[in-house]
Amino acid sequence: MLSILFCFQKREKKGDDSKTPLVLVACGSFSPITYLHLRMFEMAQDHFKERNEYELLAGYYSPVSDAYMKEGLAQAKHRVTMCTLAVNTTSDWLMVDSWEPRQGSYQRTAVVLDHFDHELNIAGGGIRTKSGEQRKIKIMLLAGGDLIASFGHPGVWAPKDLHHIVGHYGCVIIERTGTDVYGFLLSHDILYQHRMNVTVIKQLIHNDISSTKVRLFIKRDMSIKYLSPNPVIDYIHENKLYKAKPDPL
Amino acid sequence: MSSPHLIKSVLRSNNVNVTKSNFDEDYVFPREQLPKVMEDDSKTPLVLIACGSYSPITYLHLRMFEMAQDHFREKKEFELIAGYYSPVSDGYGKEGLAEAKHRVKICQLAVESTSNWLMVDSWESRQEQYQRTAVVLDHFDHELNDIGGGIKTSTGERKKIRIMLLAGGDLIASFGHPGVWTPKDVSFYGEKKRL
């Protein structure tokens, strides 16, 4: 059912040769994917359209592997399917890559970004410009303020990885309602060092749909309509995901 | 909604010369999602009306009804049988109002493509002059209970449908703004609970 091929379909010529081609990768649990996850990419698109440096070509969701063992994680195949339903029914520039969840063990984000770099630039040869030249695609991590805040938790991220993710690639951070991203950037040595590679996007319409709350609503038989696309909601109900575990008799 | 805007709108609506928006179809009170029979005879049948600009309708407007549905499911008093959006008429003169027929159409697109219990009533929006919310609720009472005869129970008996206004905190807060709501209309609402 799930294609093993890396599904990069957008190999058309770039629109504007003066800009650097860019692809954003959103790593996360997506358990389940919500409209806020989808909005993140839209906000990023608006941001880059305003500026003249990058041409945003495409976006990918990379759902984390089950080996991450976080509470609330539905099976990887379900999370990948829900993400796929979401992007296929609502978008024409977003895709889902299932490489990360297909790995037997948890893959560090730095390694996931290397995988995208390999697929897009080495295996894929980058993208062709109007003049026929092949250009390397810049890859950046797209994240919410919570993921970035986790950079500050001791022992969670190896400094080498942070340098690789922020220094070599780059980060686009969507400011989560109620968090102080700028303050955090100032205080974190590695992020501050690579601050030129960090883009912070402010949410102008506050949207704080949380997957954790969505799972809770499902468990309590409450409506999650309009928090996720309908096909995702239907899939959740058909597969009885996130329901309360029956009491052991 | 800020108080000065509301007062200005209400005052202006009396003077606004608005040509009636050209709707593509004639007016019919929507009943397609109304069930014919109640599920639980012991409860009071309830319909919620959401008045507003809906310029444009958003997911938050749609969530409001979902949250209301969850709420009434928890409580045992009412059976929520349907919900209506009643977009305000252009006569309201509020800033940012797209033409009524467009606002009605986008509400219809929203409910038809995403819901099976919500409907859009264009009566209010087809009026040339602004209609006070109290009058709009009377219109629903008339359509649902006088003309529609309420709803049947499983025994064939007819029950009157209770009608309530569904609103966000901003609309309710406006109840306190002097000059916006007449005391007669507000006391009328005093009987109707707000969510």
Side-chain angles (χ1 to χ4, degrees):
Chain A
M1 176 184 65
L2 296 170
S3 162
I4 296 180
L5 293 170
F6 194 70
C7 47
F8 185 47
Q9 297 132 0
K10 310 241 180 271
R11 303 241 202 171
E12 308 123 28
K13 293 181 204 280
K14 239 155 52 49
D16 184 342
D17 291 0
S18 65
K19 298 188 189 176
T20 306
L22 172 68
V23 159
L24 294 178
V25 176
C27 296
S29 309
F30 306 116
S31 191
I33 190 168
T34 68
Y35 274 133
L36 177 55
H37 295 129
L38 293 160
R39 277 297 297 161
M40 277 199 331
F41 274 105
E42 293 295 306
M43 291 187 264
Q45 190 179 55
D46 283 343
H47 175 91
F48 288 107
K49 244 190 225 145
E50 282 270 300
R51 289 153 184 73
N52 288 319
E53 195 182 350
Y54 293 102
E55 182 180 329
L56 181 53
L57 303 175
Y60 286 91
Y61 288 103
S62 182
V64 77
S65 104
D66 289 334
Y68 191 50
M69 298 223 286
K70 185 174 159 189
E71 192 246 327
L73 227 50
Q75 257 187 70
K77 71 169 190 185
H78 290 314
R79 291 183 289 111
V80 168
T81 304
M82 292 190 285
C83 286
T84 308
L85 284 168
V87 304
N88 286 354
T89 58
T90 70
S91 173
D92 63 358
W93 67 289
L94 300 180
M95 292 166 276
V96 183
D97 181 41
S98 61
W99 176 85
E100 182 183 353
R102 286 172 188 267
Q103 306 315 300
S105 58
Y106 168 68
Q107 298 301 310
R108 288 150 34 235
T109 302
V111 170
V112 173
L113 294 178
D114 284 341
H115 151 76
F116 276 92
D117 194 19
H118 178 83
E119 289 287 356
L120 288 169
N121 289 317
I122 300 170
I127 190 159
R128 195 176 297 135
T129 66
K130 282 213 188 81
S131 54
E133 167 209 351
Q134 289 287 130
R135 282 179 74 177
K136 196 165 181 283
I137 296 168
K138 175 100 179 145
I139 292 159
M140 291 198 207
L141 179 68
L142 174 66
D146 54 342
L147 192 138
I148 300 304
S150 75
F151 285 0
H153 298 159
V156 178
W157 297 84
K160 180 167 66 77
D161 278 1
L162 289 181
H163 282 294
H164 194 57
I165 294 166
V166 192
H168 179 70
Y169 290 109
C171 262
V172 178
I173 306 171
I174 307 290
E175 203 175 11
R176 196 161 183 144
T177 309
T179 63
D180 174 22
V181 177
Y182 288 103
F184 183 68
L185 284 188
L186 200 62
S187 70
H188 192 281
D189 292 344
I190 300 177
L191 284 177
Y192 186 75
Q193 179 184 339
H194 300 296
R195 62 194 180 281
M196 298 315 286
N197 286 346
V198 179
T199 304
V200 180
I201 298 177
K202 199 169 168 59
Q203 280 202 76
L204 296 175
I205 297 180
H206 282 177
N207 183 342
D208 58 0
I209 301 176
S210 111
S211 293
T212 304
K213 280 230 179 97
V214 169
R215 292 196 300 273
L216 188 56
F217 273 37
I218 296 166
K219 192 171 166 190
R220 306 294 184 213
D221 280 323
M222 288 162 71
S223 164
I224 58 163
K225 224 162 147 61
Y226 312 117
L227 301 177
S228 268
N230 279 345
V232 173
I233 298 175
D234 292 340
Y235 184 86
I236 290 171
H237 290 313
E238 279 156 23
N239 290 275
K240 303 197 189 355
L241 303 178
Y242 309 119
K243 279 297 189 192
K245 293 192 180 23
D247 281 326
L249 292 167
Chain B
M1 274 196 288
S2 70
S3 168
H5 281 304
L6 276 172
I7 295 173
K8 233 191 326 183
S9 294
V10 169
L11 293 173
R12 219 183 329 165
S13 72
N14 297 325
N15 305 320
V16 156
N17 209 357
V18 173
T19 47
K20 223 190 288 208
S21 186
N22 278 337
F23 281 83
D24 297 329
E25 289 124 19
D26 290 337
Y27 173 70
V28 170
F29 180 74
R31 295 177 199 275
E32 60 274 7
Q33 305 290 5
L34 274 176
K36 303 264 189 305
V37 185
M38 278 188 78
E39 277 178 20
D40 184 345
D41 296 355
S42 66
K43 296 189 187 176
T44 305
L46 172 67
V47 161
L48 293 176
I49 314 298
C51 298
S53 310
Y54 305 114
S55 195
I57 192 168
T58 68
Y59 274 137
L60 181 55
H61 295 128
L62 293 159
R63 277 298 296 160
M64 275 200 329
F65 274 104
E66 293 295 308
M67 291 188 269
Q69 193 178 49
D70 284 340
H71 173 92
F72 285 107
R73 233 185 243 138
E74 280 279 296
K75 313 258 175 303
K76 303 298 177 196
E77 194 187 345
F78 294 100
E79 181 179 317
L80 180 53
I81 60 174
Y84 287 90
Y85 288 102
S86 181
V88 78
S89 101
D90 291 333
Y92 191 47
K94 186 174 160 192
E95 189 237 331
L97 228 49
E99 250 188 271
K101 77 171 187 176
H102 291 316
R103 289 182 291 110
V104 166
K105 183 69 183 174
I106 42 184
C107 285
Q108 283 169 338
L109 287 168
V111 305
E112 277 157 28
S113 59
T114 70
S115 172
N116 63 0
W117 66 289
L118 299 179
M119 291 166 277
V120 184
D121 181 41
S122 60
W123 177 84
E124 181 184 357
S125 64
R126 289 171 187 261
Q127 307 311 306
E128 264 179 52
Q129 289 190 323
Y130 167 68
Q131 298 300 314
R132 286 152 34 238
T133 303
V135 169
V136 173
L137 294 178
D138 283 342
H139 150 77
F140 276 94
D141 194 19
H142 180 72
E143 288 285 358
L144 289 168
N145 290 315
D146 298 334
I147 298 180
I151 187 169
K152 278 206 187 101
T153 65
S154 58
T155 58
E157 170 208 347
R158 283 197 171 274
K159 265 193 178 180
K160 192 165 184 282
I161 295 169
R162 183 76 188 272
I163 291 161
M164 286 195 203
L165 179 68
L166 173 66
D170 54 342
L171 193 140
I172 301 301
S174 77
F175 284 2
H177 296 159
V180 178
W181 300 85
T182 68
K184 176 165 71 70
D185 286 355
V186 173
S187 65
F188 188 52
Y189 297 143
E191 295 167 8
K192 300 194 193 301
K193 292 188 207 134
R194 78 162 178 90
L195 290 165

